Amino acid sequence: MTGRDQPTASLWANPNYRAFLAIQTLSALGDSFSFVAIPLLVLHSTGSIVQMGLVTGLTGVASIVTGLFAGVIADRVDRRALLMVTDVARCLLYATIPLVWLFATPMWLIYTVVPLAGGFAMLFRVAYVTVVPAIVEPDQITRANAHLFGSYAIATVGGPTLAGFVTAASGPVAAIGVDAATFALSAAGLLLVKLRPMPTPPTDEQGAGEEGGKGQRGGVRGEFLAGIRFLWAHPVLRPLTVLLSLFIFLTHGMTDVIIFRVKEDLGHGDDTVGYVLSAGTIGTFLASFVVTRVRKSLGFGPSWIGATALGGVAVACFGLTENVPVIGALSAGMLLATGVAGICSMSLRQEVTPSHLLGRVTAAFWTTHYSLGPLGAAAVTAAAAGFGVAEVCMVVGAGVVCVALSGTLTGVARG
């Protein structure tokens, strides 16, 4: 059976898929520790939400710069080896923080290590997207992405809570050390994953439509532009990239805002921060269950627009409550909505992009729509410090709803 009605269980017969899923679950568990620990370490050291936003913004800049050549690398080299190299690099980078913190507490190390790790994370994410179609069949991509998102949610439901406990007991530096160890395990586990060979592109496609493969001979710039040209020519990916750029600008700093809201505005401890973020990841878990049915029933456009709009409503409601359980529930609702939208977006890109261009298109897609992220993180956190978290959440939520509804006027609605 190879059609869309193929049972989900068929994926479990694929040993490479099973190994990849297990490895990513482990990596997600470690990521959730740094997800909580890095902002808390900055907050413990400086007491400033603006400094939290600065670290987030610098990491975003590193991701954008890396994105300029990440796709070229992913389309040129062994993609499994690239995943392993990025895991090892992040292991070594994050391990330096607990080692140095034994003797001193230099904040410059955070401003250096975290953005560098963010650059390697961008390389990993680009390669990760290109690997999924090389493990599963084309008609299984959305379901596989849903499983991967689900495993991510399972790992991160408990991860932030554990990170909160570890941080409360031993400090955020210890939680960062846990993340470094999981990267080492993930790199070793990738040895168990085998990928299908990437098809050799026709000569006239090597440059993404440029005669004689000139794009291939044009260096990094020419190959990056091949991804841009594909995005710009596609009637759905083009407006989707623009809308996601605005979405990222508005929401890139929201994790910092939520942490500041719970810890500083409402006066709760690190363990409560972990509970709230864990509650949020339940939404990602639920998204993995419903996304395949939602997209099959509604199609890409209504699924993406509706889910993004609901996410905006949840963000706006953060500013209307001081009740921590309600904040946790809203966080779950926000990640449920954005999870559905994100899985649909990534699956569409994997389905419509030729394999030999997938790295460059993914890098161009992410680099473009993440380009406003650092500015957004700085602006949102600064606004939260100046005008209050509640007011900023309502403005950001309203903006996200407007972005979603704008999609009804573009090719996204017909995707």
Side-chain angles (χ1 to χ4, degrees):
M1 297 175 67
T2 58
R4 288 192 175 272
D5 294 330
Q6 187 173 11
T8 302
S10 63
L11 282 172
W12 305 118
N14 183 338
N16 295 309
Y17 174 74
R18 293 197 306 268
F20 188 68
L21 185 65
I23 291 162
Q24 295 314 303
T25 303
L26 173 66
S27 182
L29 180 63
D31 283 342
S32 66
F33 274 71
S34 287
F35 179 71
V36 176
I38 294 295
L40 286 176
L41 180 58
V42 176
L43 190 59
H44 284 184
S45 301
T46 67
S48 170
I49 188 175
V50 175
Q51 294 296 317
M52 294 167 68
L54 178 60
V55 173
T56 301
L58 288 172
T59 304
V61 170
S63 296
I64 293 167
V65 172
T66 305
L68 296 174
F69 54 84
V72 177
I73 295 173
D75 286 341
R76 280 182 173 180
V77 305
D78 183 297
R79 288 166 174 172
R80 185 183 69 162
L82 180 59
L83 291 174
M84 295 173 66
V85 167
T86 58
D87 273 342
V88 170
R90 287 182 290 173
C91 169
L92 296 175
L93 284 168
Y94 279 126
T96 62
I97 295 176
L99 289 175
V100 171
W101 241 251
L102 292 173
F103 308 101
T105 58
M107 278 304 298
W108 64 263
L109 184 66
I110 302 299
Y111 296 130
T112 303
V113 165
V114 177
L116 281 174
F120 282 105
M122 171 61 89
L123 272 172
F124 180 90
R125 288 195 297 269
V126 171
Y128 166 92
V129 172
T130 66
V131 159
V132 173
I135 295 175
V136 305
E137 298 302 321
D139 61 325
Q140 297 175 324
I141 288 175
T142 298
R143 188 175 290 118
N145 284 331
H147 289 173
L148 288 162
F149 265 66
S151 72
Y152 174 87
I154 291 171
T156 54
V157 162
T161 301
L162 292 173
F165 283 132
V166 171
T167 299
S170 305
V173 172
I176 295 170
V178 172
D179 193 15
T182 62
F183 281 128
L185 293 173
S186 175
L190 282 166
L191 293 170
L192 303 175
V193 180
K194 307 297 182 185
L195 308 181
R196 288 195 299 270
M198 184 172 65
T200 302
T203 302
D204 61 351
E205 290 183 4
Q206 289 180 359
E210 292 194 5
E211 185 176 328
K214 293 178 183 177
Q216 290 283 64
R217 296 196 297 268
V220 172
R221 178 178 176 274
E223 294 191 48
F224 178 79
L225 289 177
I228 292 287
R229 282 191 294 272
F230 185 90
L231 282 179
W232 189 251
H234 198 278
V236 179
L237 295 182
R238 180 175 63 247
L240 183 63
T241 303
V242 174
L243 294 177
L244 277 172
S245 297
L246 298 174
F247 175 83
I248 294 295
F249 174 82
L250 291 168
T251 62
H252 197 56
M254 282 307 299
T255 298
D256 293 338
V257 170
I258 292 171
I259 291 174
F260 188 83
R261 174 73 161 166
V262 173
K263 188 169 176 61
E264 299 298 317
D265 277 4
L266 304 180
H268 294 280
D270 294 346
D271 53 347
T272 303
V273 171
Y275 283 129
V276 169
L277 297 180
S278 291
T281 57
I282 293 173
T284 304
F285 182 65
L286 294 175
S288 70
F289 274 100
V290 303
V291 63
T292 303
R293 292 186 181 89
V294 168
R295 186 181 176 193
K296 186 175 181 180
S297 300
L298 302 179
F300 171 79
S303 299
W304 188 88
I305 292 169
T308 303
L310 289 175
V313 171
V315 170
C317 289
F318 280 123
L320 302 177
T321 182
E322 295 183 354
N323 185 286
V324 170
V326 173
I327 291 174
L330 289 172
S331 182
M334 179 184 72
L335 291 181
L336 167 62
T338 57
V340 169
I343 294 170
C344 287
S345 172
M346 183 165 64
S347 298
L348 176 72
R349 193 169 64 254
Q350 290 167 322
E351 291 163 358
V352 302
T353 306
S355 177
H356 69 280
L357 274 176
L358 187 52
R360 282 167 284 174
V361 169
T362 297
F365 185 80
W366 280 345
T367 301
T368 301
H369 78 244
Y370 273 117
S371 60
L372 296 179
L375 286 176
V380 167
T381 52
F387 300 103
V389 171
E391 292 79 3
V392 168
C393 285
M394 287 187 281
V395 171
V396 169
V400 171
V401 171
C402 290
V403 168
L405 296 180
S406 298
T408 61
L409 306 177
T410 72
V412 171
R414 299 181 294 276

PDB file of all heavy atoms in Angstrom, residues 148-184:
ATOM      1  N   LEU A 148       6.985  13.105  14.750  1.00  0.00           N
ATOM      2  CA  LEU A 148       8.184  13.760  15.266  1.00  0.00           C
ATOM      3  C   LEU A 148       7.811  14.921  16.192  1.00  0.00           C
ATOM      4  O   LEU A 148       8.434  15.112  17.235  1.00  0.00           O
ATOM      5  CB  LEU A 148       9.053  14.247  14.101  1.00  0.00           C
ATOM      6  CG  LEU A 148       9.770  13.130  13.329  1.00  0.00           C
ATOM      7  CD1 LEU A 148      10.241  13.630  11.963  1.00  0.00           C
ATOM      8  CD2 LEU A 148      10.956  12.606  14.137  1.00  0.00           C
ATOM      9  N   PHE A 149       6.782  15.680  15.805  1.00  0.00           N
ATOM     10  CA  PHE A 149       6.310  16.736  16.680  1.00  0.00           C
ATOM     11  C   PHE A 149       5.747  16.145  17.968  1.00  0.00           C
ATOM     12  O   PHE A 149       5.930  16.691  19.054  1.00  0.00           O
ATOM     13  CB  PHE A 149       5.235  17.579  15.975  1.00  0.00           C
ATOM     14  CG  PHE A 149       5.775  18.810  15.303  1.00  0.00           C
ATOM     15  CD1 PHE A 149       6.631  18.700  14.218  1.00  0.00           C
ATOM     16  CD2 PHE A 149       5.423  20.072  15.737  1.00  0.00           C
ATOM     17  CE1 PHE A 149       7.131  19.823  13.587  1.00  0.00           C
ATOM     18  CE2 PHE A 149       5.915  21.207  15.119  1.00  0.00           C
ATOM     19  CZ  PHE A 149       6.769  21.087  14.032  1.00  0.00           C
ATOM     20  N   GLY A 150       5.054  15.010  17.843  1.00  0.00           N
ATOM     21  CA  GLY A 150       4.491  14.366  19.019  1.00  0.00           C
ATOM     22  C   GLY A 150       5.568  13.872  19.969  1.00  0.00           C
ATOM     23  O   GLY A 150       5.461  14.033  21.192  1.00  0.00           O
ATOM     24  N   SER A 151       6.616  13.267  19.409  1.00  0.00           N
ATOM     25  CA  SER A 151       7.713  12.800  20.264  1.00  0.00           C
ATOM     26  C   SER A 151       8.421  13.974  20.928  1.00  0.00           C
ATOM     27  O   SER A 151       8.826  13.895  22.086  1.00  0.00           O
ATOM     28  CB  SER A 151       8.711  11.982  19.442  1.00  0.00           C
ATOM     29  OG  SER A 151       9.457  12.810  18.575  1.00  0.00           O
ATOM     30  N   TYR A 152       8.536  15.056  20.173  1.00  0.00           N
ATOM     31  CA  TYR A 152       9.109  16.274  20.741  1.00  0.00           C
ATOM     32  C   TYR A 152       8.278  16.739  21.939  1.00  0.00           C
ATOM     33  O   TYR A 152       8.809  17.110  22.987  1.00  0.00           O
ATOM     34  CB  TYR A 152       9.148  17.350  19.667  1.00  0.00           C
ATOM     35  CG  TYR A 152       9.588  18.713  20.147  1.00  0.00           C
ATOM     36  CD1 TYR A 152      10.933  19.054  20.193  1.00  0.00           C
ATOM     37  CD2 TYR A 152       8.654  19.669  20.535  1.00  0.00           C
ATOM     38  CE1 TYR A 152      11.336  20.297  20.628  1.00  0.00           C
ATOM     39  CE2 TYR A 152       9.042  20.914  20.978  1.00  0.00           C
ATOM     40  CZ  TYR A 152      10.378  21.223  21.020  1.00  0.00           C
ATOM     41  OH  TYR A 152      10.779  22.457  21.463  1.00  0.00           O
ATOM     42  N   ALA A 153       6.962  16.696  21.770  1.00  0.00           N
ATOM     43  CA  ALA A 153       6.087  17.139  22.855  1.00  0.00           C
ATOM     44  C   ALA A 153       6.187  16.224  24.063  1.00  0.00           C
ATOM     45  O   ALA A 153       6.209  16.683  25.202  1.00  0.00           O
ATOM     46  CB  ALA A 153       4.643  17.207  22.366  1.00  0.00           C
ATOM     47  N   ILE A 154       6.236  14.899  23.808  1.00  0.00           N
ATOM     48  CA  ILE A 154       6.353  13.960  24.933  1.00  0.00           C
ATOM     49  C   ILE A 154       7.615  14.247  25.738  1.00  0.00           C
ATOM     50  O   ILE A 154       7.601  14.285  26.976  1.00  0.00           O
ATOM     51  CB  ILE A 154       6.372  12.507  24.415  1.00  0.00           C
ATOM     52  CG1 ILE A 154       4.992  12.132  23.856  1.00  0.00           C
ATOM     53  CG2 ILE A 154       6.772  11.542  25.529  1.00  0.00           C
ATOM     54  CD1 ILE A 154       4.969  10.807  23.136  1.00  0.00           C
ATOM     55  N   ALA A 155       8.714  14.473  25.013  1.00  0.00           N
ATOM     56  CA  ALA A 155       9.981  14.751  25.694  1.00  0.00           C
ATOM     57  C   ALA A 155       9.939  16.064  26.441  1.00  0.00           C
ATOM     58  O   ALA A 155      10.461  16.190  27.554  1.00  0.00           O
ATOM     59  CB  ALA A 155      11.121  14.764  24.682  1.00  0.00           C
ATOM     60  N   THR A 156       9.299  17.054  25.848  1.00  0.00           N
ATOM     61  CA  THR A 156       9.326  18.384  26.451  1.00  0.00           C
ATOM     62  C   THR A 156       8.196  18.636  27.430  1.00  0.00           C
ATOM     63  O   THR A 156       8.204  19.671  28.111  1.00  0.00           O
ATOM     64  CB  THR A 156       9.304  19.477  25.358  1.00  0.00           C
ATOM     65  OG1 THR A 156       8.181  19.265  24.496  1.00  0.00           O
ATOM     66  CG2 THR A 156      10.583  19.432  24.546  1.00  0.00           C
ATOM     67  N   VAL A 157       7.220  17.736  27.515  1.00  0.00           N
ATOM     68  CA  VAL A 157       6.212  17.888  28.564  1.00  0.00           C
ATOM     69  C   VAL A 157       6.877  17.756  29.924  1.00  0.00           C
ATOM     70  O   VAL A 157       6.665  18.558  30.838  1.00  0.00           O
ATOM     71  CB  VAL A 157       5.079  16.850  28.412  1.00  0.00           C
ATOM     72  CG1 VAL A 157       4.290  16.709  29.705  1.00  0.00           C
ATOM     73  CG2 VAL A 157       4.128  17.262  27.290  1.00  0.00           C
ATOM     74  N   GLY A 158       7.719  16.727  30.077  1.00  0.00           N
ATOM     75  CA  GLY A 158       8.424  16.542  31.342  1.00  0.00           C
ATOM     76  C   GLY A 158       9.707  17.333  31.435  1.00  0.00           C
ATOM     77  O   GLY A 158      10.159  17.650  32.539  1.00  0.00           O
ATOM     78  N   GLY A 159      10.306  17.677  30.267  1.00  0.00           N
ATOM     79  CA  GLY A 159      11.601  18.340  30.262  1.00  0.00           C
ATOM     80  C   GLY A 159      11.635  19.663  31.007  1.00  0.00           C
ATOM     81  O   GLY A 159      12.485  19.862  31.890  1.00  0.00           O
ATOM     82  N   PRO A 160      10.748  20.623  30.683  1.00  0.00           N
ATOM     83  CA  PRO A 160      10.787  21.894  31.414  1.00  0.00           C
ATOM     84  C   PRO A 160      10.543  21.744  32.913  1.00  0.00           C
ATOM     85  O   PRO A 160      11.137  22.469  33.716  1.00  0.00           O
ATOM     86  CB  PRO A 160       9.676  22.711  30.740  1.00  0.00           C
ATOM     87  CG  PRO A 160       9.599  22.162  29.360  1.00  0.00           C
ATOM     88  CD  PRO A 160       9.851  20.687  29.515  1.00  0.00           C
ATOM     89  N   THR A 161       9.669  20.796  33.281  1.00  0.00           N
ATOM     90  CA  THR A 161       9.445  20.566  34.709  1.00  0.00           C
ATOM     91  C   THR A 161      10.724  20.059  35.371  1.00  0.00           C
ATOM     92  O   THR A 161      11.137  20.547  36.433  1.00  0.00           O
ATOM     93  CB  THR A 161       8.315  19.554  34.929  1.00  0.00           C
ATOM     94  OG1 THR A 161       7.121  20.056  34.326  1.00  0.00           O
ATOM     95  CG2 THR A 161       8.060  19.334  36.403  1.00  0.00           C
ATOM     96  N   LEU A 162      11.365  19.058  34.742  1.00  0.00           N
ATOM     97  CA  LEU A 162      12.627  18.558  35.278  1.00  0.00           C
ATOM     98  C   LEU A 162      13.692  19.646  35.302  1.00  0.00           C
ATOM     99  O   LEU A 162      14.457  19.765  36.265  1.00  0.00           O
ATOM    100  CB  LEU A 162      13.108  17.375  34.432  1.00  0.00           C
ATOM    101  CG  LEU A 162      12.270  16.100  34.500  1.00  0.00           C
ATOM    102  CD1 LEU A 162      12.773  15.084  33.493  1.00  0.00           C
ATOM    103  CD2 LEU A 162      12.302  15.518  35.907  1.00  0.00           C
ATOM    104  N   ALA A 163      13.712  20.461  34.234  1.00  0.00           N
ATOM    105  CA  ALA A 163      14.684  21.557  34.187  1.00  0.00           C
ATOM    106  C   ALA A 163      14.432  22.551  35.312  1.00  0.00           C
ATOM    107  O   ALA A 163      15.370  23.074  35.915  1.00  0.00           O
ATOM    108  CB  ALA A 163      14.610  22.259  32.830  1.00  0.00           C
ATOM    109  N   GLY A 164      13.142  22.818  35.572  1.00  0.00           N
ATOM    110  CA  GLY A 164      12.811  23.713  36.671  1.00  0.00           C
ATOM    111  C   GLY A 164      13.285  23.178  38.004  1.00  0.00           C
ATOM    112  O   GLY A 164      13.835  23.911  38.835  1.00  0.00           O
ATOM    113  N   PHE A 165      13.110  21.856  38.236  1.00  0.00           N
ATOM    114  CA  PHE A 165      13.574  21.237  39.474  1.00  0.00           C
ATOM    115  C   PHE A 165      15.102  21.266  39.574  1.00  0.00           C
ATOM    116  O   PHE A 165      15.668  21.587  40.630  1.00  0.00           O
ATOM    117  CB  PHE A 165      13.077  19.796  39.578  1.00  0.00           C
ATOM    118  CG  PHE A 165      11.642  19.676  39.969  1.00  0.00           C
ATOM    119  CD1 PHE A 165      10.783  18.851  39.267  1.00  0.00           C
ATOM    120  CD2 PHE A 165      11.135  20.382  41.053  1.00  0.00           C
ATOM    121  CE1 PHE A 165       9.446  18.738  39.621  1.00  0.00           C
ATOM    122  CE2 PHE A 165       9.801  20.272  41.424  1.00  0.00           C
ATOM    123  CZ  PHE A 165       8.941  19.453  40.703  1.00  0.00           C
ATOM    124  N   VAL A 166      15.764  20.900  38.457  1.00  0.00           N
ATOM    125  CA  VAL A 166      17.230  20.903  38.464  1.00  0.00           C
ATOM    126  C   VAL A 166      17.754  22.308  38.707  1.00  0.00           C
ATOM    127  O   VAL A 166      18.702  22.517  39.484  1.00  0.00           O
ATOM    128  CB  VAL A 166      17.771  20.338  37.135  1.00  0.00           C
ATOM    129  CG1 VAL A 166      19.276  20.548  37.032  1.00  0.00           C
ATOM    130  CG2 VAL A 166      17.440  18.858  37.003  1.00  0.00           C
ATOM    131  N   THR A 167      17.126  23.289  38.045  1.00  0.00           N
ATOM    132  CA  THR A 167      17.552  24.675  38.214  1.00  0.00           C
ATOM    133  C   THR A 167      17.333  25.142  39.648  1.00  0.00           C
ATOM    134  O   THR A 167      18.195  25.814  40.236  1.00  0.00           O
ATOM    135  CB  THR A 167      16.783  25.585  37.239  1.00  0.00           C
ATOM    136  OG1 THR A 167      17.074  25.176  35.901  1.00  0.00           O
ATOM    137  CG2 THR A 167      17.192  27.033  37.402  1.00  0.00           C
ATOM    138  N   ALA A 168      16.170  24.780  40.223  1.00  0.00           N
ATOM    139  CA  ALA A 168      15.891  25.189  41.604  1.00  0.00           C
ATOM    140  C   ALA A 168      16.870  24.538  42.577  1.00  0.00           C
ATOM    141  O   ALA A 168      17.271  25.154  43.568  1.00  0.00           O
ATOM    142  CB  ALA A 168      14.454  24.825  41.970  1.00  0.00           C
ATOM    143  N   ALA A 169      17.258  23.293  42.293  1.00  0.00           N
ATOM    144  CA  ALA A 169      18.137  22.565  43.220  1.00  0.00           C
ATOM    145  C   ALA A 169      19.617  22.876  43.016  1.00  0.00           C
ATOM    146  O   ALA A 169      20.363  23.025  43.983  1.00  0.00           O
ATOM    147  CB  ALA A 169      17.912  21.063  43.066  1.00  0.00           C
ATOM    148  N   SER A 170      20.032  22.960  41.725  1.00  0.00           N
ATOM    149  CA  SER A 170      21.470  23.077  41.445  1.00  0.00           C
ATOM    150  C   SER A 170      21.837  24.287  40.601  1.00  0.00           C
ATOM    151  O   SER A 170      23.017  24.495  40.317  1.00  0.00           O
ATOM    152  CB  SER A 170      21.955  21.808  40.728  1.00  0.00           C
ATOM    153  OG  SER A 170      21.632  20.653  41.466  1.00  0.00           O
ATOM    154  N   GLY A 171      20.836  25.037  40.162  1.00  0.00           N
ATOM    155  CA  GLY A 171      21.109  26.199  39.331  1.00  0.00           C
ATOM    156  C   GLY A 171      20.940  25.892  37.857  1.00  0.00           C
ATOM    157  O   GLY A 171      21.023  24.731  37.429  1.00  0.00           O
ATOM    158  N   PRO A 172      20.713  26.916  37.036  1.00  0.00           N
ATOM    159  CA  PRO A 172      20.495  26.704  35.602  1.00  0.00           C
ATOM    160  C   PRO A 172      21.697  26.130  34.870  1.00  0.00           C
ATOM    161  O   PRO A 172      21.554  25.487  33.834  1.00  0.00           O
ATOM    162  CB  PRO A 172      20.147  28.106  35.090  1.00  0.00           C
ATOM    163  CG  PRO A 172      20.657  29.049  36.117  1.00  0.00           C
ATOM    164  CD  PRO A 172      20.576  28.328  37.419  1.00  0.00           C
ATOM    165  N   VAL A 173      22.897  26.335  35.405  1.00  0.00           N
ATOM    166  CA  VAL A 173      24.107  25.820  34.746  1.00  0.00           C
ATOM    167  C   VAL A 173      24.075  24.299  34.683  1.00  0.00           C
ATOM    168  O   VAL A 173      24.483  23.696  33.679  1.00  0.00           O
ATOM    169  CB  VAL A 173      25.364  26.312  35.495  1.00  0.00           C
ATOM    170  CG1 VAL A 173      26.609  25.626  34.958  1.00  0.00           C
ATOM    171  CG2 VAL A 173      25.502  27.817  35.353  1.00  0.00           C
ATOM    172  N   ALA A 174      23.579  23.652  35.739  1.00  0.00           N
ATOM    173  CA  ALA A 174      23.490  22.189  35.742  1.00  0.00           C
ATOM    174  C   ALA A 174      22.539  21.696  34.658  1.00  0.00           C
ATOM    175  O   ALA A 174      22.786  20.676  34.002  1.00  0.00           O
ATOM    176  CB  ALA A 174      23.031  21.696  37.113  1.00  0.00           C
ATOM    177  N   ALA A 175      21.441  22.418  34.452  1.00  0.00           N
ATOM    178  CA  ALA A 175      20.487  22.032  33.412  1.00  0.00           C
ATOM    179  C   ALA A 175      21.105  22.143  32.021  1.00  0.00           C
ATOM    180  O   ALA A 175      20.841  21.320  31.138  1.00  0.00           O
ATOM    181  CB  ALA A 175      19.233  22.900  33.509  1.00  0.00           C
ATOM    182  N   ILE A 176      21.946  23.144  31.827  1.00  0.00           N
ATOM    183  CA  ILE A 176      22.639  23.285  30.534  1.00  0.00           C
ATOM    184  C   ILE A 176      23.586  22.110  30.316  1.00  0.00           C
ATOM    185  O   ILE A 176      23.744  21.619  29.187  1.00  0.00           O
ATOM    186  CB  ILE A 176      23.388  24.627  30.489  1.00  0.00           C
ATOM    187  CG1 ILE A 176      22.390  25.779  30.532  1.00  0.00           C
ATOM    188  CG2 ILE A 176      24.251  24.726  29.232  1.00  0.00           C
ATOM    189  CD1 ILE A 176      23.020  27.146  30.731  1.00  0.00           C
ATOM    190  N   GLY A 177      24.222  21.637  31.376  1.00  0.00           N
ATOM    191  CA  GLY A 177      25.092  20.466  31.263  1.00  0.00           C
ATOM    192  C   GLY A 177      24.348  19.229  30.820  1.00  0.00           C
ATOM    193  O   GLY A 177      24.882  18.407  30.057  1.00  0.00           O
ATOM    194  N   VAL A 178      23.102  19.067  31.267  1.00  0.00           N
ATOM    195  CA  VAL A 178      22.278  17.935  30.831  1.00  0.00           C
ATOM    196  C   VAL A 178      22.054  18.001  29.321  1.00  0.00           C
ATOM    197  O   VAL A 178      22.134  16.988  28.607  1.00  0.00           O
ATOM    198  CB  VAL A 178      20.933  17.919  31.576  1.00  0.00           C
ATOM    199  CG1 VAL A 178      19.995  16.869  30.984  1.00  0.00           C
ATOM    200  CG2 VAL A 178      21.149  17.648  33.059  1.00  0.00           C
ATOM    201  N   ASP A 179      21.777  19.197  28.814  1.00  0.00           N
ATOM    202  CA  ASP A 179      21.567  19.357  27.377  1.00  0.00           C
ATOM    203  C   ASP A 179      22.813  18.956  26.599  1.00  0.00           C
ATOM    204  O   ASP A 179      22.736  18.277  25.563  1.00  0.00           O
ATOM    205  CB  ASP A 179      21.201  20.808  27.072  1.00  0.00           C
ATOM    206  CG  ASP A 179      20.666  20.993  25.654  1.00  0.00           C
ATOM    207  OD1 ASP A 179      20.316  19.985  25.019  1.00  0.00           O
ATOM    208  OD2 ASP A 179      20.587  22.143  25.194  1.00  0.00           O
ATOM    209  N   ALA A 180      23.994  19.344  27.074  1.00  0.00           N
ATOM    210  CA  ALA A 180      25.244  18.986  26.393  1.00  0.00           C
ATOM    211  C   ALA A 180      25.387  17.471  26.290  1.00  0.00           C
ATOM    212  O   ALA A 180      25.786  16.936  25.239  1.00  0.00           O
ATOM    213  CB  ALA A 180      26.430  19.581  27.150  1.00  0.00           C
ATOM    214  N   ALA A 181      25.026  16.746  27.349  1.00  0.00           N
ATOM    215  CA  ALA A 181      25.148  15.281  27.326  1.00  0.00           C
ATOM    216  C   ALA A 181      24.206  14.660  26.307  1.00  0.00           C
ATOM    217  O   ALA A 181      24.560  13.695  25.614  1.00  0.00           O
ATOM    218  CB  ALA A 181      24.862  14.719  28.720  1.00  0.00           C
ATOM    219  N   THR A 182      22.984  15.214  26.179  1.00  0.00           N
ATOM    220  CA  THR A 182      22.031  14.622  25.221  1.00  0.00           C
ATOM    221  C   THR A 182      22.479  14.833  23.782  1.00  0.00           C
ATOM    222  O   THR A 182      22.199  14.004  22.912  1.00  0.00           O
ATOM    223  CB  THR A 182      20.616  15.199  25.418  1.00  0.00           C
ATOM    224  OG1 THR A 182      20.627  16.610  25.183  1.00  0.00           O
ATOM    225  CG2 THR A 182      20.098  14.903  26.811  1.00  0.00           C
ATOM    226  N   PHE A 183      23.172  15.928  23.504  1.00  0.00           N
ATOM    227  CA  PHE A 183      23.698  16.129  22.154  1.00  0.00           C
ATOM    228  C   PHE A 183      24.725  15.063  21.808  1.00  0.00           C
ATOM    229  O   PHE A 183      24.778  14.570  20.671  1.00  0.00           O
ATOM    230  CB  PHE A 183      24.325  17.519  22.022  1.00  0.00           C
ATOM    231  CG  PHE A 183      23.329  18.629  21.827  1.00  0.00           C
ATOM    232  CD1 PHE A 183      23.347  19.746  22.634  1.00  0.00           C
ATOM    233  CD2 PHE A 183      22.371  18.560  20.827  1.00  0.00           C
ATOM    234  CE1 PHE A 183      22.440  20.773  22.463  1.00  0.00           C
ATOM    235  CE2 PHE A 183      21.457  19.579  20.637  1.00  0.00           C
ATOM    236  CZ  PHE A 183      21.488  20.691  21.464  1.00  0.00           C
ATOM    237  N   ALA A 184      25.550  14.675  22.769  1.00  0.00           N
ATOM    238  CA  ALA A 184      26.540  13.622  22.532  1.00  0.00           C
ATOM    239  C   ALA A 184      25.853  12.293  22.221  1.00  0.00           C
ATOM    240  O   ALA A 184      26.243  11.565  21.295  1.00  0.00           O
ATOM    241  CB  ALA A 184      27.452  13.480  23.744  1.00  0.00           C
TER     242      ALA A 184
END
